[in-house]
Amino acid sequence: MPPGDAGPVERDGNTTHPLVLASGNLGLVSFPDVPGRITREELDRRHPALLGTLTDHPGIGFVLVRSAEHGPVVLGPVGAEHRLDTGRVLGSDPLAPFGAEAAAAVRRTAHFPHAADLMINSACDPATGAVHAFEEQIGSHGGLGGAQSHPFLLWPAELSPPSPDGEPLTGAEAVHRVLRRWLREADGPQLPLEEAPKEATNEPYGR
């Protein structure tokens, strides 16, 4: 077997091994043997050193996990944490290096019904904006940090601004509402489109 080729992965419906996926500089870890989302407290009971080892690694920016007591919590090095539902921060805020809108973005993700048990975001170099991709890629997207944290919308001047009140857009839902508004302002086709009636034809395949 060639080096680096582990061969086909055997899947067992009763496996107790965690599943690990990568999305740019975001790592997603799930524990399929646990119904629902595993809690911080259960992880500490099962694997006492896991969370601390991850958050103290210099390549890790923060780890998102759900606490049975405090809800979604962002963990950082040296015991730092940001409790997303209350905004309480213990120690140095692990989200501070990722910008003022990081907390809202991570809170939104934390409340998705199918969010991973652990969401591990790489560190970001404050001088260069470089992040550590967990995939074999030159660039990356999927997490927070670097140029990927600064998206933009380009639109014709005759249409209204994306956010007339200047508030930032958080999440795909907010962007979708802007695009639908622009569609109405441009008097373009409104979705869903009505299918035009088909004319009868004798040509093959309707051509």
Side-chain angles (χ1 to χ4, degrees), residues 2-152:
D5 187 352
V9 177
E10 295 184 5
R11 301 195 180 277
D12 182 352
N14 298 317
T15 182
T16 59
H17 298 295
L19 301 179
V20 182
L21 300 174
S23 176
N25 70 319
L26 182 67
L28 302 97
V29 182
S30 295
F31 295 82
D33 63 312
V34 178
R37 196 177 306 175
I38 197 169
T39 64
R40 175 186 184 179
E41 292 79 4
E42 177 65 13
L43 272 175
D44 285 340
R45 186 188 68 80
R46 290 185 175 204
H47 311 287
L50 176 61
L51 294 175
T53 301
L54 286 172
T55 54
D56 286 339
H57 190 286
I60 302 300
F62 64 85
V63 175
L64 171 65
V65 64
R66 177 171 292 278
S67 165
E69 182 178 359
H70 303 295
V73 177
V74 173
L75 305 178
V78 199
E81 61 181 77
H82 185 138
R83 297 173 182 172
L84 292 171
D85 283 349
T86 63
R88 184 181 181 190
V89 176
L90 305 181
S92 179
D93 187 357
L95 292 177
F98 298 92
E101 308 306 325
V106 177
R107 186 184 306 110
R108 169 180 175 270
T109 299
H111 287 287
F112 286 164
H114 302 296
D117 293 328
L118 291 180
M119 304 192 76
I120 305 167
N121 201 99
S122 87
C124 176
D125 187 316
T128 65
V131 296
H132 306 293
F134 298 136
E135 301 174 283
E136 295 182 358
Q137 297 178 349
I138 296 175
S140 70
H141 65 90
L144 290 177
Q148 64 179 341
S149 298
H150 304 283
F152 64 91

Side-chain angles (χ1 to χ4, degrees), residues 173-194:
E173 306 94 326
V175 176
H176 177 72
R177 287 192 291 269
V178 172
L179 298 179
R180 292 299 305 269
R181 168 160 50 85
W182 283 346
L183 195 62
R184 292 192 299 271
E185 292 176 4
D187 197 25
Q190 305 301 306
L191 299 178
L193 297 175
E194 294 184 3

